[in-house]
Amino acid sequence: MASSRFWIHIYIAGLGALSLSLAALCLLTMPLPEESGVAIAAQLSIFAAIAYRFPIHFDVKSSIILDTSIIFASVLIFQPGVAMLLIVVGAMVGNASRDFEPEEMTFNISQAALQAAAAGLLLYVIGWDYGAFAFDNGRILLILAGSATTIYLTNTILVSIVIAFHTGMNPIRIWIQSATRHDGIEQLGQFALGAVAAIVGTSQPWALPICSFPPSS
């Protein structure tokens, strides 16, 4: 047990260091948003904070956090470093007001940032436009599917590994179980909402709050 706790510490610390390094590298080497983009980034960061602070509860055993849609919208609007930064700020604010241990909070923030990094870097490498005309791309459905799949895989793989450290189970088996859960509609809904938010954010930024969900108690 002591050995597994040690590797959990190493794993989470490594995720935190990796996310910070990637964010710093992207922010220093890639273009930063113009003034109008800063306002959109601030809105998305606020949405992220609300999503993490107020999960939507369906019953006493079931709840979801609408972070996936915000991560997806962020990487479609901004270069990876900016997307990571706004997600980290939102996740920090949202998680800080909940009763998480520092290590759990670090993991939650890091894995959200790394989802943005993985999908954001994929989009950046393929030459994503980051503008209102980006969605006129003839390969838009393929691009959206690829970036959404990247977010999903990054999330489920990182979570499966940390669960494996805690339980001693095979991480591949854990991942297969997570991939076969009956939450596909919810995941698709979050990605659809993220895509709509990105389209609205790049074309009509003033209407972006319409894409947010009210918190659920």
Side-chain angles (χ1 to χ4, degrees):
M1 180 63 69
S3 176
S4 66
R5 290 300 306 171
F6 171 78
W7 288 111
I8 290 171
H9 294 324
I10 295 297
Y11 175 65
I12 294 176
L15 293 183
L18 178 60
S19 59
L20 286 174
S21 300
L22 286 174
L25 179 63
C26 293
L27 287 169
L28 291 172
T29 59
M30 298 177 185
L32 297 176
E34 298 178 354
E35 185 176 347
S36 59
V38 172
I40 298 172
Q43 290 184 69
L44 289 173
S45 193
I46 292 170
F47 295 164
I50 294 172
Y52 284 105
R53 176 61 183 87
F54 300 103
I56 295 179
H57 295 275
F58 294 105
D59 54 50
V60 294
K61 296 183 179 179
S62 178
S63 65
I64 61 170
I65 298 176
L66 294 176
D67 59 336
T68 300
S69 58
I70 300 166
I71 292 170
F72 195 37
S74 300
V75 299
L76 292 172
I77 297 175
F78 298 107
Q79 58 102 327
V82 175
M84 291 179 72
L85 179 61
L86 71 88
I87 290 297
V88 165
V89 171
M92 287 180 65
V93 173
N95 281 278
S97 56
R98 302 177 69 186
D99 294 328
F100 288 132
E101 295 293 330
E103 190 173 68
E104 185 178 3
M105 183 172 171
T106 300
F107 175 75
N108 290 341
I109 295 169
S110 299
Q111 64 96 9
L114 290 173
Q115 290 177 60
L121 287 170
L122 172 66
L123 289 167
Y124 189 83
V125 167
I126 66 175
W128 182 246
D129 188 31
Y130 298 107
F133 298 105
F135 294 91
D136 293 332
N137 192 306
R139 299 179 299 157
I140 185 61
L141 292 180
L142 180 62
I143 293 171
L144 292 178
S147 53
T149 300
T150 301
I151 290 173
Y152 174 78
L153 289 176
T154 303
N155 177 28
T156 54
I157 290 171
L158 294 179
V159 170
S160 296
I161 292 172
V162 80
I163 292 174
F165 279 128
H166 278 289
T167 63
M169 293 176 60
N170 187 318
I172 297 176
R173 181 179 178 183
I174 295 171
W175 184 86
I176 292 173
Q177 290 175 346
S178 73
T180 54
R181 290 180 309 181
H182 301 294
D183 60 353
I185 299 299
E186 177 260 314
Q187 287 290 313
L188 288 174
Q190 286 218 49
F191 285 120
L193 177 61
V196 170
I199 294 171
V200 172
T202 53
S203 58
Q204 303 291 339
W206 57 268
L208 190 56
I210 296 174
C211 298
S212 66
F213 276 98
S216 174
S217 58

